[in-house]
Every structure is written in C-alpha cells, then in structure tokens.
Amino acid sequence: MHTEILQIKNFIDGRFVEPITGRYLDNIEPATGKPYSQVADSDAHDVDLAVAAAERAFRDWSKKTAAERSNFLLRIAELIERDLEKFARAESIDTGKPISLARSLDIPRSIANFRFFATAILHTESEAHITDNVAFNYTLRQPRGIAGLISPWNLPLYLLSWKIAPAIAVGNTAIAKPSELTPMTAYMLCEMAREASLPNGVLNVVHCTGPKVGSAITAHPKINTISFTGGTATGRKVAEACAPLFKKVSLELGGKNPNIVFADADLDAAIAGSVRSSFANQGQVCLCGSRVFVERSAYKDFVERFIERTAQLCLGDPLDENTEQGAIVNRTQLEKVKFYVDLAQKEGGKIALGGSAPQAPNERCGEGYFFQPTVITGLSVSCRTNREEIFGPVVTITPFDSEEEVINYANDVEYGLSSTVWTQNLSRAHRVAERINTGTVWVNCWLVRDLRVPFGGMKQSGVGREGGEEALRFFTEPKNVCIAK
Ligand code: TXE
C-alpha cells in the first residue's frame, strides 16, 4: 500500500504554509536510514513572512496580562500531555532515541517547561529603589520584541520549548527554527498552539538548514534577541552574525564534561550514574560526562564493573520498549564517532568495550546508524580524543592520584558546561565543586534539573544563562524610570 509521505510545513501567522520555494528536504529516520517525512526547504523570504506576522502579533500579545498569557501556555502544556504518547513516538522516530527515554524525559520536561514559565510570570517581583531624598527609581521589564530561537537535534522538543516558553511568556513573539534533522515535534507543537488558540503570529516556526534559515534569523534586523543551542563552531558563527547588529544573544554550546569518581564514593551509585551519564541518548546530550576520571585505588574495580554494566545495555530498535541504546542521529554524526574511535587508537588508547557498529537489531533497522557503547582506556589526558567533543556513545576512563591533579584535568579543556563529582566526603564535594570551571556541578547525581537554577556554560560552552529568573530577564529589557522627589 502506498502511503503519502508527510510534508512538514512552516507555521506562520497561525497557519501551516508551504515554503516559498515549494521545495522540501527528505527527513531521514536514523534507525532505518530511510526518509519518513519531508521538511520545508525554506529561505530568508519565509523568515521575512514570519517576521511580519510576529511583528503584527507583538502589539496585542505584549499588552496581554500575565494571567492571560499564562493560560495559553498552560493549555499548550495540557495538550502535549494529552498527546504524550504520540509525541514520544514521533521524537523517537525523528531522533533515533529509545522511546522509553522520550516518554520519560524529553516530553515530560517539555511540558514542565511550559508549566514552569506559565506560572513563573505570575510571581515576578518589581524592583524599586529610593535614592536618598532625591528620587524614586523603579525598573520596568518589558518584552523585547521578536525572539529568534534556534535549537539542535538531540533533545528537540525539550530544548525548543525551553526557549519558546519563556520568550512568549513575558510577551515577546517568536520565530523558532528547529534542527532540520529533527523537525517533527516542533511541527506537532504548532498543532497544539493552534488548538490552544494561541493568537496568530505569536509562535512561528520556519524549517530548513542553518545556513539558509538559521543565518537569515540571526541576520534579520527586526529579530533583536537570539537564543541558540548547538555546536560551538556554529555558536561562533551566530555570535559573529549578531555582534554588528548588537543583538542580545544567549549561546548554549558543546561540552567535554568531566565525571570524577573518588575512591570514597558509593561505588554502586557512581557506576550506575556514570553509565547513564556516559550513554544516555547514545551520548548525544551536551551534559554527558564523556571524560571519566577515577581515583587510582578504585580504578580497576570501577573499570571492570563499569564495563560489565555497559555491556548489558540493550541496543535495539528505538521503538522497542526494552531498548536502552538507540540510533545515532545521522550518517555524518556516525562518521564523526567512528573517526574519533580510530583517532583514539592512533593516540594509544585501548578499546576496552565496543568500538564498532553492531549488527542491525532487526530487519527494519538494517540501514540504521547504530554504534556500540564504547569505553576507551589508556589515553593521555591531553590527547585530542580527550579534548574534543565527540557527541556519541564514547567515553574515556583515566586514573588520577590526587584531588589537585583531577581538578587540573577537569579544567584543562576549552569547554566548561557541566561536571559530576562522586564522593561521600562532604567537605571535598564543596571544595571540588568550587574549583571546577563548569556552569553546573552535579554531586552524586546527574541530570537532576530544577528549572529555577541558572543553566549555561563557561568558556567555550557558551555565553549567558537560561532557566528560571535568568530566562525571564534575558527575554525582557530593563528600563529604569527615575522620578525626582
Ligand atoms: O549542530 P549545529 P550540528 C555539537 C556536536 C555535533 C556538532 C555539530 O558536537 O557533532 O555540534 O552538530 C542551526 N546560523 N552539538 O551540525 O550546526 C542548525 O540548523 C544559524 C552540540 O548538527 O550547531 C540547528 O538548528 N543557525 C549540541 C542548530 O543550529 C545555524 C547539540 C544546531 O546545529 C547555522 C547539537 C548558522 N550558520 C550538536 N548553522 C549541544 N550543545 O546540545 C547551523 N545552524
């Protein structure tokens, strides 16, 4: 039976519209290597249409009360929750991630993003300052206008909703560009926005590649706020495009995160947590701990047990309920993983587990992009494998002898996104956390999220912080009013 392939259109001014070119790109399912839908091949002209719609919508949307805006966001959250299963399946097909992960993490966290910002705007405080006997100052925080929101493929709905929710909650209108590799859940989100009767033009989604639509967004003079999550090299281009136009920019970029295990750690918890932080979403989470450091006295035991646990991870069809390791997002990313595994061996590393593509888990997945969870030992801390972001199911494990030494290892990379420390010594936990240069330090846990905390990276992992109050501030413009007494 011939079924027509879905064409993912742009969402502009409350309607699904064809790209002006009339062309579409194939959208490949990572698990099968075959196209399963098509995505709009848009360009700068489509962005212009979205800007016009967003500009029109801004006038009314920015004047709505916080409670009115809040209700729209809550309704969207409710609708995604109603269709959670459909979203989880779409996300799994689109990204190659296990459906159980999409169901338990990505989609619930996307819903939480809408709920969090919908309610946060009801509880903000205004600042006022009495200036001696001279004046009274108060600060208005006003929406900035049109926000350009560019997101990657690894956690597509979660990262896009993390930007859309605060941007529109405070009264901006938005033009979002999901990754061209994973456009499906953004498309479904637009359906929810329509069903929630979100006013036309408040949320617009323009699909296509970064060089065509992403760069048209960053270059557009009427889009004055840019929130970007993606690779560091792309982040640099975004920063370069925005700088001459003095746009307000937030960049969430890559990581090469240290995962430090002290000998005094609860080793069972450290091993379970480290397997998760190494291989969740096939290692394609910017927060994955790809460099594992273990104190020498625990090293042998840790490596043996870590490998034993990792070998038990069930690699399979992402749509299979038992699957714990799905597919890599596309062929390019798979080639990148293979390149680094080869490089690691040239650099003197030993493949202690994995290191190659597995047999296809079933017939459907015969042409899919799979790679075994891979553990590499015996590398120097300074080699390329230990410094460059691989973004795949590959970790290195290295022993260390002292706290001082491992802090140096942790900090001796260009990235500074997150880190994890496993220890039962409370003083050490505080001491080490203070000295590691990463935006987040997790102690005896990983990926625990509180939406109120500032989130972002140091060094080449980014500029600015998102989350909670930081996001509300980022998407608003403070204006001080000074009234003489
Ligand atoms: O991401 P890109 P790619 C890392 C990871 C990966 C590498 C490249 O190491 O191997 O980045 O991945 C849009 N102007 N991360 O190429 O290009 C693009 O269309 C404006 C880490 O897939 O950074 C997509 O929507 N936008 C990361 C978004 O940017 C542009 C997650 C991110 O894509 C653009 C993903 C341009 N010139 C990859 N070029 C993380 N930190 O979470 C591309 N885009």
Side-chain angles (χ1 to χ4, degrees), residues 185-199:
T185 48
Y187 175 73
M188 293 168 69
L189 172 65
C190 297
E191 288 179 328
M192 300 299 107
R194 213 160 64 149
E195 195 174 336
S197 304
L198 186 73

Side-chain angles (χ1 to χ4, degrees), residues 466-480:
E466 296 187 355
E469 190 63 29
E470 305 277 343
L472 299 180
R473 287 185 175 236
F474 175 72
F475 285 111
T476 50
E477 189 77 46
K479 180 192 287 174
N480 191 57

Side-chain angles (χ1 to χ4, degrees), residues 7-12 15-24 38-43 45-47 49 205-207:
Q7 291 191 322
I8 295 180
K9 298 189 169 84
N10 294 328
F11 185 67
I12 297 176
R15 290 182 309 128
F16 288 102
V17 290
E18 299 266 353
I20 291 173
T21 59
R23 287 196 300 266
Y24 287 83
Q38 291 190 317
V39 59
D41 185 6
S42 318
D43 61 25
H45 299 294
D46 301 278
V47 173
L49 292 181
V205 175
V206 184
H207 295 277

Side-chain angles (χ1 to χ4, degrees), residues 294-476:
V294 186
E295 194 164 1
R296 198 173 299 274
S297 58
Y299 180 78
K300 195 165 164 289
D301 190 20
F302 179 94
V303 172
E304 273 173 23
R305 290 169 59 191
F306 180 85
I307 287 176
E308 196 183 303
R309 278 294 281 268
T310 304
Q312 287 164 7
L313 287 174
C314 173
L315 187 148
D317 186 333
L319 291 176
D320 186 330
E321 289 297 334
N322 298 320
T323 295
E324 293 168 299
Q325 288 287 288
I328 306 292
V329 74
N330 68 358
R331 187 176 296 285
T332 312
Q333 199 62 26
L334 179 64
E335 292 306 323
K336 185 176 174 192
V337 169
K338 287 182 180 162
F339 168 84
Y340 277 103
V341 171
D342 286 348
L343 179 70
Q345 291 170 89
K346 288 181 193 136
E347 290 180 322
K350 172 176 165 254
I351 308 288
L353 183 75
S356 58
Q359 266 198 332
N362 60 22
E363 207 183 318
R364 189 183 94 85
C365 298
E367 309 285 311
Y369 311 128
F370 293 88
F371 201 82
Q372 292 175 324
T374 297
V375 181
I376 303 173
T377 54
L379 281 170
S380 78
V381 177
S382 59
C383 70
R384 278 184 65 192
T385 310
N386 260 328
R387 307 185 82 85
E388 297 174 15
E389 188 182 42
I390 302 174
F391 221 64
V394 181
V395 286
T396 62
I397 314 186
T398 311
F400 67 87
D401 290 303
S402 71
E403 200 174 295
E404 192 63 27
E405 181 187 14
V406 79
I407 290 170
N408 287 334
Y409 288 168
N411 287 338
D412 189 23
V413 283
E414 290 176 342
Y415 295 104
L417 190 55
S418 70
S419 52
T420 308
V421 179
W422 298 92
T423 176
Q424 296 199 78
N425 178 331
L426 188 60
S427 312
R428 167 177 276 157
H430 287 296
R431 214 166 43 231
V432 174
E434 195 176 325
R435 291 187 59 202
I436 297 183
N437 299 326
T438 57
T440 297
V441 184
W442 277 294
V443 178
N444 297 331
C445 60
W446 179 72
L447 213 62
V448 173
R449 193 172 77 142
D450 182 327
L451 283 167
R452 293 165 299 184
V453 305
F455 176 82
M458 296 167 74
K459 302 192 275 183
Q460 297 206 10
S461 290
V463 176
R465 293 291 183 275
E466 296 187 355
E469 190 63 29
E470 305 277 343
L472 299 180
R473 287 185 175 236
F474 175 72
F475 285 111
T476 50

Side-chain angles (χ1 to χ4, degrees), residues 224-247:
N224 62 1
T225 311
I226 298 287
S227 173
F228 170 87
T229 301
T232 293
T234 316
R236 189 168 288 119
K237 287 189 199 153
V238 169
E240 280 167 8
C242 293
L245 298 165
F246 304 108
K247 296 192 182 200

Side-chain angles (χ1 to χ4, degrees), residues 149-155 159 177-182 208-219 226 228-235 237-238 241 252-255 284-287 329-330 332-333 336 340 388-392 415 417 461:
L149 313 172
I150 301 173
S151 58
W153 44 260
N154 55 340
L155 302 149
L159 291 174
K177 194 208 90 63
S179 169
E180 62 279 17
L181 303 178
T182 55
C208 191
T209 61
K212 280 171 84 178
V213 162
S215 58
I217 290 174
T218 55
I226 298 287
F228 170 87
T229 301
T232 293
T234 316
K237 287 189 199 153
V238 169
E252 300 286 347
L253 309 177
Q284 301 168 123
V285 180
C286 54
L287 303 162
V329 74
N330 68 358
T332 312
Q333 199 62 26
K336 185 176 174 192
Y340 277 103
E388 297 174 15
E389 188 182 42
I390 302 174
F391 221 64
Y415 295 104
L417 190 55
S461 290

